[in-house]
């Protein structure tokens, strides 16, 4: 197979390596390409790079599982620097689950190593003839045969790659679910990190790409190394001193289980209810007594991956989303059993949110006798079987592996009413029967129902206005989308120091300036977020054309039509008219029209006039 070398040479940009690696698996060729300073300044990195590349280069209507689709692995200017929580990258593509823009964020040594190999992002197109993996070792790039890795679970495949390329290498992999094109297959790394919920694993599988391995030994170029070192030292120290640090180290994201139960927002029985009678069995407090070790991403002193022994004596790394989606959503209240399902998802390369939602959906469909499947609530053995069937796309798994939206359409009989998704992506673990702001966040998330961009639920509940639909909620959603979906996804660094410990956001413009030499402010970084949001929206609209409508920004039907029957919010449900007005307020504030499409004036203000002209070929802009 093709092996090429590239010369690092002198990069005129500071903070960025200034290079993309382009790999065409059909031709077996790779080439390193320099990008312009304008591209770096306008789109910064990570999600910003990804959406611009997809917008410019992906022909609308491309089959997400066809060779022409692109998959992009993009770091940002902060990735891999000795700064808190900087071991992240974005994996993006056109989604086979939703048909729209998609990405995920993963923390892994692979991110740091990619930057240290002198490259900022890898763009993969084509389809290899047989199972392959990409190896980047400093200045050498090679597409290698992966026949002996194909079919292996992600843990076994990663162990083999580490054996071949050393423990310091970093790998991104798919499991059997990606190989078999399950649309809810994600990309995994380090036995418990995952990124790319909307089917990024299936895109890799469709390209016969089992893994990418990165190893690099040079520090990324930065403008002011001394200042950066000082900032790094001070900020790691500040994180250690935060009031919430001790509790965070004990429970990490798992503290949210009890909090959601208390506030009636813990999704239970496929989001029928917001409280779970057996929540104690899966809570952070229960987990604390079971933790055997903690794991995390590189460059992090908050290590949030809590590992426990599962019901079969194996290690399983837990997070809130994993536990709730494979616990209360499916009616299972035993943490060690939940951990077994979680470990299976990591091995098989299935997104735990998509998988838990698919199982909960199947349990309800079975209860309603819409499918011929004997699967009751909390049925652990049945859930195990179904997970395996989804990963291998066989039996009922072949339908459920398409995601709940497509599965419901295939099953019929009203099943769409209880498919808990937006734009085809399953909701993360927050029940919104009485959280209009969080429902708006799910509705307008740029990839489908993910909490990653605007997790406003904590603010919404703490301000005591769960039942109101006032414009402040739209403001809050936009504010969070700018910070989380724009800034963090483009600088590419973990948001947890800020959102979980109250680490000051003003650190980030300082890091950016020390790394790149470019003075910036939070407001400028938020404007970047708005540009990215408008372009992602343009991508969706270009793909969907006449099928696009504001209804695509609606949360699941269940939250409007079926009140919860117990807990503190008993009898509650969302109000469709009020939600629709809140959505309009959101559009108005963003400068989008009543179809949810950015206006010409908005595109111009965001320096997207050329992109607006392209979009006009598909839809008339206001
Ligand atoms: C993320 C989504 C989440 S969000 C979780 S737990 W979470 C689930 N994790 C999965 C998993 O594990 N295994 C698996 N097979 N599937 C999984 N699916 C689910 O995927 C993650 C942390 C977490 S834990 C969160 S919130 C934060 N997310 C960040 C983000 O999105 N951006 C950012 N700049 N910083 C973030 N920090 C936090 O990172 P997706 P990770 Mg993840 C095992 O990928 O597609 O975005 O979906 O990355 O390295 O595992 O760290 O309560
Ligand atoms: Fe990774 Fe958790 Fe650290 Fe964030 S806080 S960098 S997700 S280990």
């Amino acid at each position: 197979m093709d092996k090429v070398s590239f010369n690092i040479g002198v990069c005129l940009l500071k903070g960025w390596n200034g290079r993309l690696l382009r790999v065409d698996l059909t031709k077996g060729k790779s080439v390193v390409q320099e990008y312009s300073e304008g591209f770096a300044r306008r789109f910064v990195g990570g999600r910003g790079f990804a959406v611009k590349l997809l917008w410019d280069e992906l022909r609308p209507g491309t089959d997400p599982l066809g060779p022409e689709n692109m998959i992009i692995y993009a770091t940002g200017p902060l990735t891999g620097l000795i700064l808190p929580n900087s071991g992240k990258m974005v994996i993006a593509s056109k989604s086979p689950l939703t048909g729209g823009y998609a990405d995920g964020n993963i923390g892994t040594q692979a991110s740091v190593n990619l930057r240290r190999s002198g490259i900022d992002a890898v763009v993969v197109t084509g389809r290899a003839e047989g199972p392959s993996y990409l190896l980047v070792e400093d200045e050498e790039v090679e597409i290698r045969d992966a026949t002996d890795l194909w079919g292996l679970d992600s843990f076994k495949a990663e162990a083999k790659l580490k054996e071949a390329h050393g423990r310091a290498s970093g790998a991104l992999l798919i499991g059997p679910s990606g190989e078999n094109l399950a649309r809810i297959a994600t990309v995994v790394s380090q036995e418990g990190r995952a990124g790319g919920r909307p089917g990024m694993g299936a895109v890799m599988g469709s390209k016969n790409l089992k893994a990418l391995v990165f190893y690099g030994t040079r520090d990324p170029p930065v403008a002011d190394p001394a200042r950066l070192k000082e900032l790094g030292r001070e900020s790691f120290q500040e994180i250690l001193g935060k009031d919430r640090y001790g509790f965070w180290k004990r429970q990490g994201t798992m503290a949210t289980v009890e909090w959601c139960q208390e506030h009636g927002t813990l999704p239970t029985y496929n989001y029928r209810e917001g409280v779970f009678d057996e929540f104690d069995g899966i809570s952070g407090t229960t987990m604390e007594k079971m933790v055997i070790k903690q794991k995390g991403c590189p460059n992090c002193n908050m290590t949030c991956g809590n590992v426990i022994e599962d019901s079969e004596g194996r290690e399983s790394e837990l997070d809130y989303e994993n536990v709730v989606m494979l616990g209360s959503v499916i009616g299972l209240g035993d943490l060690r059993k939940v951990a077994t399902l979680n470990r299976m998802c990591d091995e098989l390369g299935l997104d735990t949110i998509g998988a838990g939602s698919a199982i909960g959906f199947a349990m309800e469909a079975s209860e309603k006798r819409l499918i011929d499947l004997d699967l009751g609530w909390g049925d652990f053995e049945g859930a195990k079987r179904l997970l395996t069937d989804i990963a291998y796309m066989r039996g009922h798994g072949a339908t459920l592996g398409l995601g709940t939206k497509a599965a419901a359409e295939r099953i019929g009989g009203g099943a769409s009413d209880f498919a808990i998704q937006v734009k085809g992506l399953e909701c993360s673990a927050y029940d919104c029967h009485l959280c209009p702001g969080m429902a708006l966040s799910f509705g307008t998330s740029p990839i489908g129902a993910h909490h990653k961009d605007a997790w406003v639920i904590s603010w919404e509940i703490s301000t005591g206005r769960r039942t109101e639909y006032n414009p402040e909620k739209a403001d809050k959603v936009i504010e969070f989308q700018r910070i989380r979906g724009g800034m963090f996804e483009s600088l590419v660094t973990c948001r947890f120091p800020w959102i979980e410990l109250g680490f000051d956001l003003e650190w980030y413009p300082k890091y950016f300036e020390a790394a790149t030499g470019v003075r910036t402010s939070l407001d400028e970084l938020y404007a970047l977020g708005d540009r990215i949001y408008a372009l992602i929206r343009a991508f969706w609209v270009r793909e969907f054309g006449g099928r696009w409508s504001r209804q695509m920004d609606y949360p699941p039907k269940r939250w409007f039509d079926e009140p919860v029957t117990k807990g503190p919010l008993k009898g509650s449900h969302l109000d469709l008219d009020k939600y629709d007005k809140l959505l309009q307020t959101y559009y108005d504030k963003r400068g989008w029209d009543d179809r949810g499409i950015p206006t010409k004036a908005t595109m111009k203000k965001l320096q997207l006039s050329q992109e607006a002209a392209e979009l006009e070929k598909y839809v008339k802009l206001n």
Side-chain angles (χ1 to χ4, degrees):
M1 299 225 177
D2 184 50
K3 179 171 182 171
V4 293
S5 300
F6 61 94
N7 272 331
I8 288 289
V10 182
C11 174
L12 297 177
L13 289 173
K14 295 290 178 216
W16 293 273
N17 284 310
R19 288 177 209 89
L20 304 176
L21 171 65
R22 291 182 178 275
V23 180
D24 181 336
L25 291 169
T26 305
K27 294 186 180 145
K29 297 272 178 223
S30 40
V31 58
V32 170
Q33 185 189 50
E34 294 193 0
Y35 59 79
S36 70
E37 187 174 349
F39 175 70
R41 294 252 190 142
R42 223 152 62 100
F43 293 98
V44 175
R47 177 181 264 182
F49 277 10
V51 65
K52 177 63 174 154
L53 289 164
L54 285 163
W55 173 265
D56 284 349
E57 299 176 22
L58 196 73
R59 196 175 39 79
T62 297
D63 174 2
L65 297 178
E68 295 80 19
N69 196 12
M70 303 157 68
I71 183 160
I72 299 168
Y73 307 84
T75 63
L78 301 190
T79 309
L81 304 183
I82 306 300
L83 293 172
N85 311 56
S86 65
K88 294 264 183 186
M89 77 158 81
V90 168
I91 304 176
S93 188
K94 176 175 170 180
S95 166
L97 183 64
T98 68
Y101 172 82
D103 67 22
N105 188 303
I106 185 165
T108 155
Q109 190 59 37
S111 319
V112 176
N113 285 5
L114 174 58
R115 283 270 284 167
R116 292 175 67 82
S117 71
I119 286 165
D120 294 324
V122 182
V123 181
V124 179
T125 52
R127 175 181 291 144
E129 238 168 62
S132 304
Y133 73 98
L134 180 77
L135 176 65
V136 180
E137 278 180 317
D138 274 326
E139 286 159 53
E140 289 195 338
V141 182
E142 195 178 354
I143 301 165
R144 289 202 169 185
D145 182 74
T147 308
D148 63 338
L149 301 176
W150 203 255
L152 292 185
D153 73 49
S154 73
F155 286 45
K156 292 198 179 93
E158 188 163 15
K160 275 191 166 239
L161 287 168
K162 291 259 175 195
E163 214 176 283
H165 302 293
R167 301 231 46 90
S169 64
L172 300 169
L173 305 105
I174 57 169
S177 66
E179 296 173 11
N180 293 301
L181 310 184
R183 311 307 194 260
I184 53 173
T186 186
V187 179
V188 283
S189 185
Q190 298 187 184
E191 302 183 348
R193 302 272 123 194
R197 290 190 48 212
M200 303 300 88
V203 176
M204 281 180 66
S206 74
K207 298 188 174 308
N208 280 328
L209 182 62
K210 177 73 179 179
L212 300 95
V213 180
F214 301 120
Y215 179 70
T217 51
R218 53 183 78 226
D219 292 336
V222 291
D224 190 343
R227 172 80 177 132
L228 211 53
K229 201 167 165 191
E230 186 190 321
L231 286 170
R233 195 175 36 76
E234 284 173 14
S235 35
F236 276 116
Q237 209 48 45
E238 181 166 321
I239 286 173
L240 288 178
K242 287 285 176 196
D243 290 348
R244 277 179 271 163
Y245 184 80
F247 183 59
W248 170 263
K249 284 291 285 177
R250 288 199 343 249
Q251 294 205 359
T253 56
M254 283 288 288
T256 316
V257 177
E258 273 167 74
W259 181 84
C260 274
Q261 171 77 4
E262 186 189 335
H263 294 286
T265 56
L266 186 74
T268 301
Y269 301 124
N270 195 30
Y271 295 73
R272 262 187 205 158
E273 303 292 349
V275 289
F276 183 41
D277 291 344
E278 297 170 56
F279 86 96
D280 241 353
I282 58 165
S283 71
T285 308
T286 299
M287 180 203 70
E288 263 191 65
K289 298 172 204 134
M290 298 179 180
V291 173
I292 48 176
K293 68 175 171 192
Q294 289 186 318
K295 286 168 61 185
C297 315
N299 299 351
C300 175
N301 62 354
M302 290 172 64
T303 42
C304 66
N306 286 297
V307 180
I308 72 163
E309 208 172 79
D310 73 8
S311 59
E312 294 171 6
R314 302 174 318 158
E315 290 183 359
S316 178
E317 183 181 334
L318 302 179
D319 265 307
Y320 169 76
E321 304 292 330
N322 307 334
V323 167
V324 173
M325 296 307 300
L326 298 165
S328 52
V329 168
I330 68 166
L332 182 61
D334 178 328
L335 194 58
R336 293 203 193 277
K337 289 182 177 167
V338 170
T340 297
L341 300 180
N342 176 59
R343 161 105 187 194
M344 285 179 72
C345 284
D346 286 343
E347 287 174 334
L348 296 166
L350 281 171
D351 169 40
T352 51
I353 299 176
S357 199
I359 297 171
F361 170 83
M363 287 173 170
E364 188 162 349
S366 150
E367 185 184 64
K368 293 190 157 102
R369 298 187 189 287
L370 292 174
I371 52 174
D372 179 21
L373 183 66
D374 184 17
L375 186 71
W377 294 108
D379 178 351
F380 172 58
E381 291 302 329
K384 277 169 62 181
R385 278 194 300 276
L386 194 54
L387 275 185
T388 312
D389 285 349
I390 291 174
Y392 288 91
M393 292 295 274
R394 63 189 184 208
H396 289 293
T399 302
L400 294 161
L402 300 173
T404 53
K405 179 171 186 282
E409 283 160 7
R410 194 174 273 195
I411 291 165
S416 294
D417 292 354
F418 58 90
I420 310 299
Q421 50 79 30
V422 177
K423 300 183 184 70
L425 182 69
E426 285 71 24
C427 284
S428 6
Y430 299 94
D431 185 80
C432 295
H433 273 90
L434 201 57
C435 295
M438 191 63 211
L440 179 69
S441 161
F442 277 136
T444 60
S445 153
I447 60 170
H450 202 312
H451 65 290
K452 68 189 280 172
D453 281 60
W455 187 73
V456 298
I457 191 167
S458 164
W459 167 84
E460 187 169 30
I461 288 174
S462 70
T463 50
R465 281 177 277 106
R466 283 173 297 178
T467 53
E468 291 175 22
Y469 293 75
N470 67 39
E472 265 181 62
K473 299 212 169 176
D475 284 329
K476 199 59 167 182
V477 169
I478 293 172
E479 178 194 330
F480 270 37
Q481 289 176 336
R482 286 178 174 147
I483 298 170
R484 297 163 65 111
M487 185 178 89
F488 281 114
E489 295 311 312
S490 310
L491 297 176
V492 195
T493 178
C494 175
R495 62 174 185 256
F496 276 169
W498 161 69
I499 193 72
E500 298 294 349
L501 302 185
F503 188 67
D504 197 340
L505 285 174
E506 290 293 348
W507 283 102
Y508 295 94
K510 288 186 203 158
Y511 297 156
F512 185 74
E513 185 178 346
T516 65
V518 179
R519 182 172 279 262
T520 191
S521 62
L522 282 175
D523 282 342
E524 278 175 15
L525 291 170
Y526 298 164
L528 161 76
D530 290 348
R531 183 176 308 131
I532 290 172
Y533 255 66
L535 194 52
I536 293 181
R537 186 46 70 120
F539 184 93
W540 277 92
V541 173
R542 186 172 71 172
E543 288 296 335
F544 278 73
R547 289 180 296 140
W548 178 266
S549 76
R550 67 189 279 139
Q551 278 75 30
M552 288 185 73
D553 287 337
Y554 282 5
K557 196 166 178 296
R558 165 156 283 171
W559 294 342
F560 295 110
D561 296 349
E562 296 174 50
V564 286
T565 68
K566 46 188 192 175
L569 308 180
K570 187 174 171 183
S572 305
H573 61 90
L574 292 178
D575 180 302
L576 184 55
D577 285 345
K578 289 183 183 164
Y579 176 83
D580 196 63
K581 284 200 186 81
L582 184 62
L583 181 63
Q584 187 58 48
T585 308
Y586 171 91
Y587 289 164
D588 293 345
K589 287 174 185 283
R590 276 219 168 273
W592 297 359
D593 66 17
D594 59 11
R595 300 165 298 173
I597 301 177
T599 63
K600 262 191 228 173
T602 300
M603 293 291 273
K604 188 168 175 212
K605 192 173 116 202
L606 297 170
Q607 300 168 9
L608 293 171
S609 293
Q610 261 185 4
E611 289 80 358
E614 158 72 6
L615 186 56
E616 281 247 71
K617 293 181 197 158
Y618 299 85
V619 58
K620 184 152 174 35
L621 295 190
N622 288 312

